């Protein structure tokens, strides 16, 4: 199982590097949209909306497609139209609840709306980071933050873990592991930014990057725990089995998902490079 996890994890990293490095930005946006759609399907499946054949599933996917399409065509328009799309989406969900009452409750409406925002809109911020100035370099700050936090938290927890962090959610996670994840993230992100700055003749605002790494690492672990909460509440181990050894899209991207808007907005107002 560990060997399979490592192999497919390595293949995933290589594929991500190839796509992000060599593909045009709009292709990356389309890829993010496809991943978001798969993730939204996993969310709807785990929360029972698909099995129930709830009337809110189709509007949820349509809203997701609209959000993604606008972002790819014109990212600036995403913010111009987000409120309008969100209001229209909620209006449609309320209509579904009224006219399809037999298989559409208010909890379905809430799940559909929360899932679309949590999965689709948060995923889209990966694309927004890539479209930033120097986005081809900054995008790796996002992934390195999540991956290094996860890796260092795992090994720190295995070697030093004594105090449980959230035993009711994830019994194996420890306070020591959480601190190890933060320290590891800080080291890896600072090292990456320093190397990039050296070879691209850029100067680094280390105060901003330290804040970014600390916040991203904390939110990365919160994202992992939040995903675990959803799975435990619905009595499932994984969101899916799309990626052997890793589960579904949301299992692999749960940490990245929650920190993508955090990283985007921090880098927008606290630039990494001077």
């Amino acid at each position: 199982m560990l060997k399979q996890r490592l192999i497919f994890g390595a293949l995933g990293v290589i594929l991500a590097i190839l796509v992000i490095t060599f593909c045009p930005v709009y292709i990356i946006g389309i890829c993010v949209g496809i991943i978001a759609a798969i993730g939204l399907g996993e969310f709807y499946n785990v929360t029972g909306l698909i099995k129930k054949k709830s009337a809110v599933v189709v509007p949820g996917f349509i809203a997701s497609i609209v959000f993604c399409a606008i972002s790819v065509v014109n990212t600036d328009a995403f913010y111009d139209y987000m409120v309008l799309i969100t209001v229209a989406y909620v209006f449609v969900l309320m209509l579904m609840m009224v006219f399809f009452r037999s298989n559409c409750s208010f909890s379905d409406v809430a799940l559909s709306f929360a899932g679309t925002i949590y999965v689709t809109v948060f995923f889209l911020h990966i694309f927004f980071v890539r479209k930033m100035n120097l986005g081809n370099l900054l995008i790796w700050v996002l992934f390195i933050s999540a991956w290094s936090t996860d890796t260092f938290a795992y090994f720190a927890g295995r070697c030093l873990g004594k105090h449980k962090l959230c035993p009711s959610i994830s019994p194996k996670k420890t306070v020591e592991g959480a601190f190890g994840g933060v320290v590891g993230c800080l080291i890896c992100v600072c090292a990456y930014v320093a190397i990039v700055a050296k070879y691209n003749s850029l100067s680094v605002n280390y105060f901003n990057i330290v804040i970014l790494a600390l916040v991203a690492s904390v939110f990365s672990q919160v994202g992992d725990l939040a995903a675990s909460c959803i799975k435990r509440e619905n009595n499932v181990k994984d969101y899916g089995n799309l990626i052997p050894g890793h589960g579904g899209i949301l299992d692999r991207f749960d940490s990245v998902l929650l920190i993508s808007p955090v990283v985007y907005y921090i880098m927008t107002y606290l630039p990494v490079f001077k």
Side-chain angles (χ1 to χ4, degrees):
M1 184 68 176
L2 179 59
K3 182 179 179 181
Q4 185 184 56
R5 182 180 179 86
L6 291 173
I7 291 173
F8 280 92
L11 290 175
V13 171
I14 293 171
L15 180 60
I17 292 173
L18 292 175
V19 171
I20 292 172
T21 303
F22 298 107
C23 287
V25 174
Y26 76 91
I27 295 296
I28 296 173
I30 293 172
C31 290
V32 170
I34 292 172
I35 292 172
I38 296 171
L40 186 61
E42 291 177 352
F43 181 88
Y44 285 168
N45 184 54
V46 164
T47 54
L49 293 180
I50 290 179
K51 182 178 180 180
K52 183 182 178 181
K53 296 181 180 179
S54 176
V56 299
V57 170
V58 172
F61 279 113
I62 292 175
S64 179
I65 292 170
V66 172
F67 276 128
C68 293
I70 290 176
S71 300
V72 172
V73 173
N74 185 355
T75 301
D76 294 334
F78 175 83
Y79 295 99
D80 296 333
Y81 291 103
M82 184 175 181
V83 173
L84 175 61
I85 297 170
T86 302
V87 170
Y89 178 34
V90 173
F91 182 75
V92 171
L93 290 177
M94 292 302 178
L95 287 178
M96 295 297 104
M97 183 175 63
V98 170
F99 291 105
F100 298 92
R101 185 61 182 169
S102 61
N103 73 332
C104 182
S105 64
F106 179 70
S107 61
D108 293 352
V109 169
L111 281 173
S112 180
F113 180 76
T116 303
I117 300 300
Y118 168 58
V119 178
T120 303
V121 176
F122 278 37
F123 256 127
L124 283 174
H125 281 79
I126 299 174
F127 177 56
F128 297 163
V129 172
R130 178 61 181 82
K131 287 199 71 177
M132 296 177 74
N133 183 36
L134 299 175
N136 60 317
L137 303 177
L138 295 175
I139 188 68
W140 296 110
V141 174
L142 170 61
F143 288 112
I144 289 171
S145 296
W147 293 341
S148 60
T149 296
D150 185 51
T151 302
F152 279 86
Y154 174 78
F155 286 108
R158 286 286 299 269
C159 298
L160 305 172
K162 293 182 179 180
H163 302 88
K164 299 296 183 182
L165 182 64
C166 296
S168 61
I169 301 173
S170 185
K172 294 183 179 181
K173 295 189 183 299
T174 63
V175 174
E176 293 81 5
F179 276 106
V182 172
V183 173
C185 176
L186 185 59
I187 293 171
C188 291
V189 170
C190 286
Y192 168 75
V193 170
I195 293 170
V196 165
K198 179 180 179 181
Y199 287 98
N200 291 274
S201 301
L202 299 169
S203 56
V204 181
N205 189 321
Y206 281 102
F207 177 77
N208 290 354
I209 198 62
V210 167
I211 292 176
L212 172 61
L214 292 175
V215 175
S217 183
V218 171
F219 274 83
S220 174
Q221 297 185 65
V222 171
D224 189 11
L225 290 169
S228 295
C229 283
I230 296 171
K231 289 186 286 187
R232 281 189 171 274
E233 187 171 316
N234 291 279
N235 298 312
V236 296
K237 183 179 182 295
D238 295 316
Y239 279 103
N241 55 9
L242 181 66
I243 310 171
H246 292 270
I249 288 293
L250 294 183
D251 294 298
R252 182 63 277 173
F253 287 92
D254 51 7
S255 299
V256 174
L257 191 60
L258 199 68
I259 68 170
S260 56
V262 174
V263 170
Y264 173 73
Y265 292 114
I266 289 179
M267 290 196 297
T268 298
Y269 297 104
L270 298 176
V272 171
F273 299 113
K274 298 178 184 178

